Amino acid sequence: MLTLKILFWATLLIVFYTYIGYGILLYIIIRLKRLLKGAPLQQAMPVDEDLPTMTLMICAYNEEDVVKEKMENTLALDYPKDKFRIMWVTDGSNDHTNELLKAYPEVDIVFSPERKGKTAALKHGLRELKTRYVTFTDANTMINSGALREIARLFSNPTVGCVSGEKRVAARKAGEMAAEGEGLYWRYESTLKRWDSELYSAMGAAGELYAIDPKLCREVPDEALLDDFMLSMYVVQAGKRIAYTPEAFAREYGSANIYEESKRKRRIAAGGLQSIWWLRSMLNPLHQPLVTFQYVSHRVLRWSITPIAMVLLLLANIALVAMGAGTFYTVMLILQAIFYLMALAGWLQNRIGYKNKLLYTAYYFVFMNFNVFRGMAYLKSHGKSGAWEKAKRS
């Protein structure tokens, strides 16, 4: 019974720390840091003549449906035109994306007839780069007009090698539970990223909007499923920071339904496992102790250990109750049972169209962790290909 109790408490602490404890600890550390050192200094916004040259790179595959909207958004960005280039890298597109882009003389079209995947497209675009910095964004995301100026402002800090913007997920209409669940997750994730950045560095950037110093770019394997995460974490590995800012944000609609969201989640989970292996040197606290603490706490646990710990926690709790371990373990099992029943109810309501955010939140949490196991299977079958299967948006 002692072994089961140790397993129960170890897995309970892992699950709690991953999703609640790290956020609490991070908040406490940030508050103490502010008390001792004061609020972090903000760099002034550079005047036009001091702004660096910038390329907005959009890697795309068959995006004819969003070309017009994306270009309207891009041309409205507030950045000096003589310092700003627009590059579309179209990887194996066989629809009308390239033809539609030819209507915009401002656009540099980098086309590869063979579909090799987003990572290969990104590297193709970087070889054609002619500006000091590059900002990456997706074809289906719209960014705020001042995003590039904010990114340039943060790059004026010599410790910064990458800037991560904020991802904001919207539902096209009320009641789209897949989009609302994704949006809730990203609001919490954005808070952690902001605190991570204030402590030292954000742990990775999302492909919807991030910028990088090309001098720090390293070759990402073509089969990488999370090219944005790998490219940005290479910057941290090199000793620079990822600065996070909500003042540069990308807005996109959430997945059309939970099936489409599942495609995203399993691929992200697979890419996370892939990245943990490739970035395994960052697990050594002797090299960068603070980075290892943030990286393991925010990324590694979620993508590897914690979903397994959730399963072991439930099994250990059932065994302890069966062995008569005491009232506390019975109460804990009842609480776990209630939570998973709520998740089941959330799954059922999603199928029949009934809306309850509390039930859906429980379901989305279980759904996220379940897709880590699906990601393991996906990595086994798709780990040698960087080609991406787009999730349909609402």
Side-chain angles (χ1 to χ4, degrees):
M1 186 182 290
L2 178 60
T3 302
L4 280 173
K5 286 184 177 180
I6 292 172
L7 179 63
F8 172 87
W9 282 104
T11 52
L12 178 62
L13 287 172
I14 289 170
V15 174
F16 176 81
Y17 177 76
T18 301
Y19 290 108
I20 301 175
Y22 177 58
I24 294 172
L25 180 59
L26 197 56
Y27 177 76
I28 292 170
I29 294 172
I30 291 298
R31 296 290 294 182
L32 289 173
K33 184 178 178 182
R34 290 174 186 172
L35 283 173
L36 294 173
K37 297 185 178 181
L41 296 174
Q42 299 291 323
Q43 287 81 25
M45 187 67 71
V47 295
D48 282 11
E49 52 265 33
D50 292 335
L51 286 171
T53 54
M54 184 86 68
T55 291
L56 185 72
M57 186 185 297
I58 304 153
C59 294
Y61 169 69
N62 287 356
E63 296 286 5
E64 62 181 8
D65 293 339
V66 298
V67 166
K68 184 176 184 295
E69 184 182 9
K70 182 64 177 180
M71 283 306 303
E72 287 175 353
N73 175 256
T74 301
L75 293 174
L77 294 175
D78 177 21
Y79 208 80
K81 302 305 178 187
D82 60 329
K83 295 188 175 186
F84 178 45
R85 300 182 71 90
I86 306 166
M87 181 188 295
W88 281 71
V89 186
T90 57
D91 173 64
S93 292
N94 52 22
D95 64 353
H96 295 96
T97 298
N98 289 332
E99 288 79 359
L100 291 170
L101 287 172
K102 288 176 182 176
Y104 301 93
E106 306 91 344
V107 173
D108 299 325
I109 303 172
V110 179
F111 174 62
S112 173
E114 182 183 354
R115 189 183 179 201
K116 296 181 180 179
K118 188 176 179 181
T119 302
L122 185 148
K123 289 195 283 189
H124 190 182
L126 285 173
R127 289 196 295 270
E128 303 296 325
L129 194 67
K130 298 181 176 67
T131 55
R132 177 65 185 88
Y133 294 106
V134 57
T135 296
F136 303 99
T137 185
D138 289 340
N140 64 343
T141 61
M142 305 303 144
I143 64 181
N144 62 306
S145 63
L148 297 186
R149 284 183 178 270
E150 172 68 5
I151 287 168
R153 182 182 73 83
L154 291 174
F155 271 130
S156 63
N157 185 328
T159 68
V160 173
C162 176
V163 178
S164 174
E166 182 169 277
K167 174 180 175 178
R168 300 182 182 179
V169 180
R172 196 175 291 273
K173 57 181 182 292
E176 290 181 342
M177 300 307 285
E180 290 179 2
E182 186 184 354
L184 179 66
Y185 166 77
W186 274 104
R187 285 193 291 276
Y188 176 64
E189 178 69 9
S190 296
T191 300
L192 290 184
K193 284 188 173 186
R194 190 171 68 251
W195 290 345
D196 269 335
S197 179
E198 187 173 342
L199 178 59
Y200 175 64
S201 171
M203 289 294 108
E208 285 77 12
L209 179 60
Y210 74 108
I212 197 165
D213 182 347
K215 296 177 181 178
L216 299 172
C217 284
R218 281 176 51 189
E219 283 282 311
V220 177
D222 284 346
E223 65 269 27
L225 297 169
L226 295 183
D227 54 273
D228 45 7
F229 181 76
M230 287 296 302
L231 197 59
S232 59
M233 288 302 287
Y234 280 152
V235 169
V236 179
Q237 200 173 47
K240 295 287 187 175
R241 296 172 49 239
I242 302 172
Y244 180 80
T245 174
E247 301 304 318
F249 59 86
R251 180 176 282 108
E252 68 177 2
Y253 292 113
S255 300
N257 52 54
I258 204 66
Y259 170 73
E260 295 297 329
E261 178 67 0
S262 181
K263 289 197 296 189
R264 288 184 64 256
K265 288 299 182 189
R266 72 183 180 190
R267 191 172 181 279
I268 290 171
L273 292 168
Q274 202 181 47
S275 302
I276 290 170
W277 175 248
W278 286 336
L279 297 170
R280 57 191 180 276
S281 65
M282 297 183 75
L283 300 176
N284 184 353
L286 298 179
H287 294 159
Q288 295 174 298
L290 186 53
V291 167
T292 299
F293 163 67
Q294 291 184 277
Y295 176 50
V296 171
S297 299
H298 195 160
R299 295 300 185 187
V300 176
L301 290 176
R302 288 193 196 184
W303 285 340
S304 58
I305 297 171
T306 302
I308 298 170
M310 287 176 63
V311 175
L312 293 176
L313 175 62
L314 180 60
L315 295 176
N317 203 169
I318 292 171
L320 285 167
V321 170
M323 296 170 68
T327 304
F328 173 79
Y329 296 99
T330 301
V331 172
M332 288 300 295
L333 183 58
I334 291 171
L335 291 175
Q336 286 202 75
I338 291 172
F339 175 77
Y340 286 111
L341 285 172
M342 288 172 61
L344 177 61
W347 173 73
L348 289 171
Q349 74 164 4
N350 183 65
R351 292 178 66 87
I352 64 176
Y354 177 71
K355 310 295 189 296
N356 181 287
K357 287 189 177 181
L358 180 62
L359 297 180
Y360 194 82
T361 299
Y363 167 52
Y364 195 82
F365 180 81
V366 174
F367 163 81
M368 263 195 329
N369 283 279
F370 175 70
N371 274 287
V372 172
F373 295 100
R374 296 188 70 210
M376 294 175 186
Y378 185 92
L379 184 60
K380 186 176 180 181
S381 59
H382 294 74
K384 297 299 181 182
S385 172
W388 70 100
E389 181 184 8
K390 292 192 297 181
K392 295 177 183 177
R393 294 287 172 176
S394 60

